[in-house]
Amino acid sequence: MSKPASNVQGAQKKFAFPHSLIIIFLLICVAAVMTWVIPAGEYTRVEDGATGRMIVDAASYHRIESTPANPFDVFTAIPRGLSEAGWIAWMVLIIGGSFHVIESTKATRALIGKFMNRLRGKHGAYLLPVLMLPFFMLPAITGNGESMLAFLPLGILIARSLGFDAMTGLCIVTLASSTGYCTGLFSAFSTGTAQSLCGLPTFSGLWFRVVGAVLLFAAAAFWTVKYARMVQKDPKKSYCYELEQQSGDEGEAEIVELTLRRKLCLLEFLLGICTIVYAALAGWDFKTRFPAVFIIMAIVIGLTAGFSPNRIADEFVSGAKVVLVGALVTGFSKGISVILADAHIIDTIVYALSSLVVGLPKQIGAMAMLLIQSILNCFIISSSGQAAATIPIMSPLGDVLGLTQQTVVMAFLYGDGFSNILLPMNASIMGACAISGITYPQYLRRAWRHYATYMVIGFIMLLIAATINLGPF
């Protein structure tokens, strides 16, 4: 007997992964259910004489009267979360809009394009780390990796001209930029948000993140060079050999001229980044002055590029639309901690998590935090959203385990960043696969080596951070 046509059509429909906001809403519902199951409890907070910060007294946990959430609380948690995390959401919108104005001048595209084209026709895998460096550094400084997708066609073109394949081009651009994002050197979205929620000075601990960045870049370059040399020796070993057979001379990339205006835009962009670095070292207010610097950069660079005020505003709005979901996810995610905090079960969760590693060295606790953040990142892709949802739990857990808050932030950065390299929910990864013609399974075959190596580096870095009590606190 044949199946009804409607059933056949239904079977042919592909599974659509739930939208980020749906996942967050479901997690809010789960949090509400947890308030009926998990008993309320709390730690006593005491002031740290060295830093003035209120920290958890690890031996003070005690039960208190339960106040579980009702169904209406699930919905009020969303606007309350948006209100409490409002500064983060606005920062995401402002910086996203400002970056779009800067990117629309095509100044950075022209600079990288000119640099890469100078290397066309030259042979040798030793050039690949040089090509990867700018794609690694930009997301490490700005926290914006999605814009690097615009360079992927050019990266593939250069890789093929050097005797490699499209997968090598994807490694040069996408894997390098994803790795740079993991470092969080000056990322307002990940590092800035997490440190602010922990009470740390903005972008403190930079030297330690730099050490991690060097190790991560070395690992990314090693695996890329190793793969490229394998393809160069035997093209049939390419992970996308069939794609290379079909490519021919296709894939021409747009070449953007590096005009005087664009050179001036690049100079202004560099001055803006230097201002941000100075602001971080000088202790400027992260919530207001950092977004203000980005607004100034957008206006000045837009005018230098010859944009009218209306064009600058239009580009800013377009950029804000791109990151709007991320801003909403931040607010929705804060709703999770609102539910948990109102029911006084956050400390109970911290107590339960700490009991799993009680008696173990704090170094093991730091590594466990990295694994927990990696799992949570499967559900909350937005870095600022994940920080808003998890740092309120991880921060006191760090106190209980004897870890500094800077170590907690490092566990968050690596847990959020490393798993993004593999997740199909990551727009940068799936966008790169679509642009290059490389299938997701082919990409995974290459990327898992990077991920495994990065996790080892992350464990080592956290072990060191926990051992030296990475500060300032």
Side-chain angles (χ1 to χ4, degrees):
M1 176 182 277
S2 61
K3 295 180 180 180
S6 59
N7 289 344
V8 174
Q9 291 175 356
Q12 292 175 342
K13 288 184 177 180
K14 293 183 178 180
F15 170 75
F17 196 84
H19 193 282
S20 297
L21 294 182
I22 295 176
I23 293 176
I24 299 301
F25 179 75
L26 292 176
L27 290 175
I28 293 175
C29 294
V30 170
V33 173
M34 289 168 61
T35 65
W36 289 87
V37 177
I38 299 175
E42 65 181 10
Y43 286 100
T44 301
R45 264 71 175 177
V46 296
E47 183 175 348
D48 184 350
T51 65
R53 175 176 168 267
M54 298 302 291
I55 63 174
V56 168
D57 179 357
S60 66
Y61 175 79
H62 57 280
R63 298 283 181 88
I64 61 174
E65 183 180 356
S66 295
T67 53
N70 62 54
F72 192 63
D73 290 336
V74 171
F75 297 94
T76 58
I78 296 174
R80 286 182 60 195
L82 285 166
S83 177
E84 292 188 18
W87 68 270
I88 304 175
W90 288 119
M91 180 186 68
V92 170
L93 290 174
I94 289 173
I95 295 178
S98 299
F99 267 126
H100 191 77
V101 174
I102 296 167
E103 281 297 314
S104 64
T105 67
K106 299 184 179 180
T108 55
R109 188 180 306 183
L111 177 64
I112 294 178
K114 183 174 182 179
F115 172 75
M116 293 183 72
N117 272 292
R118 283 186 175 181
L119 298 177
R120 289 188 65 179
K122 297 182 180 180
H123 298 281
Y126 64 88
L127 290 173
L128 297 182
V130 179
L131 293 170
M132 295 170 66
L133 188 58
F135 299 107
F136 175 87
M137 288 303 300
L138 280 174
I141 294 173
T142 65
N144 184 358
E146 289 81 0
S147 61
M148 296 297 101
L149 285 174
F151 299 102
L152 184 54
L154 183 59
I156 293 174
L157 187 66
I158 300 299
R160 284 172 172 162
S161 72
L162 292 172
F164 309 126
D165 63 353
M167 183 69 76
T168 306
L170 188 146
C171 291
I172 292 172
V173 179
T174 304
L175 271 175
S177 61
S178 297
T179 306
Y181 172 83
C182 296
T183 67
L185 293 183
F186 288 102
S187 172
F189 301 115
S190 56
T191 308
T193 301
Q195 289 185 329
S196 179
L197 292 171
C198 285
L200 286 164
T202 305
F203 299 136
S204 57
L206 176 61
W207 72 269
F208 194 79
R209 294 197 301 279
V210 169
V211 173
V214 172
L215 294 175
L216 290 171
F217 179 76
F222 169 80
W223 284 117
T224 301
V225 170
K226 184 178 177 63
Y227 173 77
R229 292 184 65 182
M230 178 186 73
V231 172
Q232 196 172 41
K233 291 178 181 178
D234 185 358
K236 291 184 179 180
K237 290 185 178 180
S238 167
Y239 290 180
C240 52
Y241 180 68
E242 292 183 1
L243 176 65
E244 295 306 302
Q245 293 296 100
Q246 300 169 2
S247 65
D249 295 326
E250 296 178 2
E252 285 300 320
E254 178 189 5
I255 305 299
V256 180
E257 183 182 357
L258 188 59
T259 61
L260 177 59
R261 280 183 181 270
R262 289 185 175 127
K263 290 179 181 178
L264 291 174
C265 289
L266 288 170
L267 178 60
E268 291 162 356
F269 179 67
L270 178 61
L271 290 174
I273 296 299
C274 290
T275 302
I276 292 171
V277 174
Y278 170 79
L281 297 176
W284 285 15
D285 178 34
F286 177 73
K287 298 180 181 180
T288 57
R289 293 199 175 190
F290 274 77
V293 172
F294 281 99
I295 293 174
I296 294 171
M297 286 171 61
I299 294 173
V300 173
I301 292 175
L303 292 174
T304 301
F307 293 175
S308 66
N310 280 347
R311 171 77 184 277
I312 295 174
D314 287 339
E315 296 291 353
F316 184 91
V317 171
S318 296
K321 288 179 181 178
V322 172
V323 298
L324 176 61
V325 171
L328 289 173
V329 165
T330 299
F332 272 53
S333 299
K334 187 64 176 178
I336 299 172
S337 61
V338 166
I339 289 285
L340 300 179
D342 284 354
H344 302 285
I345 67 172
I346 288 181
D347 282 0
T348 303
I349 296 173
V350 171
Y351 178 74
L353 290 173
S354 63
S355 65
L356 295 176
V357 291
V358 65
L360 295 176
K362 59 184 178 181
Q363 290 85 349
I364 303 298
M367 296 178 187
M369 277 190 168
L370 169 54
L371 294 175
I372 293 170
Q373 290 287 176
S374 298
I375 295 171
L376 292 173
N377 192 47
C378 297
F379 302 98
I380 310 176
I381 296 298
S382 166
S383 56
S384 54
Q386 187 181 161
T390 63
I391 291 298
I393 295 175
M394 293 302 173
S395 177
L397 178 59
D399 290 335
V400 172
L401 296 178
L403 296 170
T404 64
Q405 292 300 295
Q406 200 72 265
T407 304
V408 171
V409 170
M410 292 305 303
F412 162 75
L413 289 177
Y414 290 157
D416 168 53
F418 294 164
S419 51
N420 278 336
I421 294 174
L422 299 182
L423 295 180
M425 299 84 82
N426 186 345
S428 294
I429 300 304
M430 299 313 291
C433 289
I435 292 171
S436 64
I438 295 170
T439 66
Y440 180 62
Q442 288 172 337
Y443 168 79
L444 281 182
R445 187 182 174 193
R446 172 99 300 271
W448 77 264
R449 293 174 174 81
H450 290 254
Y451 175 74
T453 308
Y454 297 171
M455 286 294 286
V456 172
I457 293 173
F459 285 145
I460 293 173
M461 292 297 294
L462 289 176
L463 185 150
I464 296 172
T467 301
I468 66 174
N469 291 320
L470 181 65
F473 55 80

